[in-house]
Amino acid sequence: MRSDKEKCMYCGACVGSCPKNAIYLEETRVVFDEERCVKCRICVRVCPVGAISE
Ligand code: SF4
Ligand code: SF4
């Protein structure tokens, strides 16, 4: 998964939504742990600005 830096406002909604704790907020970007991610796409649906894609 990846987050579009142009769209993301660092609201943190995706972090709390991930059932696998595979998302972190760093200072200037959202980081996805591909080892943990199961591609459920919950984060994609939760993001208010549509910044996350596969
Ligand atoms: S697709 Fe699912 S498991 Fe992967 S980062 Fe998003 S919410 Fe987490
Ligand atoms: S939910 Fe969307 S806007 Fe919010 S931190 Fe995650 S990627 Fe960025």
Side-chain angles (χ1 to χ4, degrees):
M1 308 305 294
R2 59 182 299 278
S3 170
D4 184 338
K5 286 186 83 164
E6 303 295 318
K7 292 182 183 171
C8 177
M9 359 174 247
Y10 305 103
C11 68
C14 55
V15 176
S17 78
C18 178
K20 296 295 179 182
N21 292 323
I23 312 175
Y24 311 79
L25 281 191
E26 285 192 344
E27 254 176 63
T28 58
R29 65 186 190 126
V30 177
V31 181
F32 295 89
D33 183 339
E34 296 296 340
E35 302 270 305
R36 291 185 175 201
C37 177
V38 293
K39 311 286 189 197
C40 67
R41 300 183 73 85
I42 290 173
C43 56
V44 176
R45 295 203 301 272
V46 159
C47 179
V49 294
I52 303 176
S53 59
E54 198 166 327

